[in-house]
Amino acid sequence: MRVVIIGGSGHIGSHLVPRLVRAGHDVVSISRGTQTPYVDVPEWDDVQRVTLDRERADADGSLGGAVLAHRPDAVVDMVCFTPASATALVDALRGRVAHLVHCGSIWRYGPSRKVPIREEEGTPAEGEYGIGKAAIARLLQQETAAGGLVTTSVDPGHIVGPGWKPIGALGNLDPDVWHRLSAGAPLAVPDGGTQLMHHVHADDVAQVFERALERRHAAAGEAFSAVAPSALSARGLAQIAAGWFGKEASLRPVSWEEFRALTPADHADASWEHLHRNHCFSIDKARRVLGYEPRYEPEEAVLESVRRLISDGDLAVATPLQV
């Protein structure tokens, strides 16, 4: 099978491309050409790499033609964020490509009402990003249901892995959180830290994409949550992470108002966006339909990210890792 991946050198694509090459597929990776793949493996030598700016191609209407020029059997779209962009690509591929697999997001659903959340059972999306992803997912399902292009949506959780800064115990990217945990220093946690986050290793997400491509008929018109087998509470991640450094987490429950007063606005906003959704998703459907078997528990995936950041000198901690 000839597969064109739009955004192939990103975090998921860096794992998916080698997977597909090892499985015997012919792969074309389209990217802006501004970064090297996160995973440097020999399989990339067998990949055709194409430089293309997705935003510009969307703006001038050239994306569909650029993709079709490579004669794909299937297309994976990692970097589609608006219904207009999705519609243009679907219109170009309809009748000419066998399968489109779209990278969505668990943020297509709003705050949890009942967990684990199963596909199509979540609450309505919140925020521009989530609302856009939800609209794209509906558009793709309607396209396939109407007998048009065969599509599949894969909805990753909070992606982690080497080369990627993980969403931390407070639901943000503040490096000071890791420093405080590594020192056993007090950490203010909003609402007691009971809120859930659902991380996933990038290679496990890539596995879902690979299986969806290989099981096209089963995946047609479907959406699949791509997350770890379990979710972590903010408090749980803090306690586990402190243990990596031989410390006990010193957590101080605070209100959201106090947390915002103590925290830079950008980090506080990110914490709210990640934590108030209280997300935990089921992978039963992906297991049953696609045979998905994730390799990583969420804390294992986060640790792999943290270990790489520390070894590369990109994260300062008070105490060396003891795991």
Side-chain angles (χ1 to χ4, degrees):
M1 178 167 52
R2 186 168 174 83
V3 184
V4 170
I5 303 177
I6 306 170
S9 63
H11 207 198
I12 301 169
S14 292
H15 291 271
L16 177 59
V17 167
R19 276 179 166 271
L20 294 179
V21 171
R22 288 193 293 269
H25 301 295
D26 187 11
V27 181
V28 178
S29 172
I30 296 178
S31 67
R32 290 178 298 176
T34 58
Q35 67 180 37
T36 57
Y38 287 83
V39 181
D40 184 15
V41 291
E43 285 83 356
W44 280 97
D45 294 337
D46 298 321
V47 176
Q48 181 180 350
R49 303 195 203 188
V50 177
T51 300
L52 178 74
D53 187 299
R54 170 63 180 270
E55 290 187 10
R56 291 183 181 178
D58 272 340
D60 63 21
S62 63
L63 178 65
V67 170
L68 289 171
H70 298 285
R71 307 180 311 281
D73 300 302
V75 174
V76 175
D77 192 354
M78 294 291 186
V79 285
C80 180
F81 304 106
T82 68
S85 179
T87 298
L89 185 61
V90 167
D91 288 345
L93 301 185
R94 187 185 298 116
R96 305 185 69 178
V97 171
H99 194 188
L100 170 64
V101 185
H102 166 77
C103 184
S105 170
I106 59 171
W107 279 17
R108 64 179 285 198
Y109 303 109
S112 64
R113 180 181 297 147
K114 178 181 179 180
V115 295
I117 300 167
R118 292 177 172 81
E119 289 85 351
E120 316 305 335
E121 294 183 1
T123 62
E126 295 183 351
E128 181 180 0
Y129 175 79
I131 291 171
K133 283 296 190 181
I136 294 169
R138 289 193 299 270
L139 179 158
L140 295 178
Q141 288 177 314
Q142 291 165 3
E143 168 71 19
T144 303
L149 178 65
V150 172
T151 68
T152 303
S153 293
V154 176
D155 299 321
H158 307 314
I159 301 169
V160 289
W164 196 257
K165 294 179 180 178
I167 297 298
L170 297 186
N172 61 35
L173 296 175
D174 185 357
D176 185 58
V177 173
W178 296 104
H179 193 276
R180 298 183 72 81
L181 290 171
S182 70
L187 187 67
V189 181
D191 276 359
T194 60
Q195 309 93 329
L196 296 170
M197 295 176 284
H198 216 149
H199 295 79
V200 62
H201 194 286
D203 187 57
D204 281 338
V205 180
Q207 181 192 154
V208 179
F209 276 93
E210 179 185 12
R211 292 178 183 272
L213 287 165
E214 294 178 343
R215 303 188 185 192
R216 171 179 173 270
H217 293 292
E222 301 290 348
F224 300 94
S225 297
V227 291
S230 58
L232 290 167
S233 68
R235 181 175 59 204
L237 178 53
Q239 292 169 338
I240 291 170
W244 297 337
F245 303 95
K247 305 294 183 181
E248 289 189 12
S250 176
L251 307 180
R252 182 169 70 89
V254 297
S255 67
W256 274 105
E257 291 74 14
E258 185 177 354
F259 181 75
R260 286 190 175 277
L262 295 168
T263 308
D266 56 340
H267 292 316
D269 289 343
S271 294
W272 171 257
E273 292 292 341
H274 285 91
L275 297 181
H276 92 281
R277 285 175 167 82
N278 195 32
H279 273 168
C280 173
F281 288 81
S282 170
I283 57 172
D284 288 348
K285 181 180 176 183
R287 277 178 159 155
R288 183 181 71 255
V289 177
L290 301 180
Y292 173 49
E293 285 301 332
R295 291 175 55 203
Y296 293 84
E297 285 291 336
E299 65 272 22
E300 296 170 344
V302 174
L303 175 58
E304 198 170 278
S305 289
V306 170
R307 192 186 303 279
R308 174 66 67 83
L309 289 170
I310 294 172
S311 67
D312 288 349
D314 294 326
L315 182 64
V317 292
T319 306
L321 285 168
Q322 298 186 19
V323 292

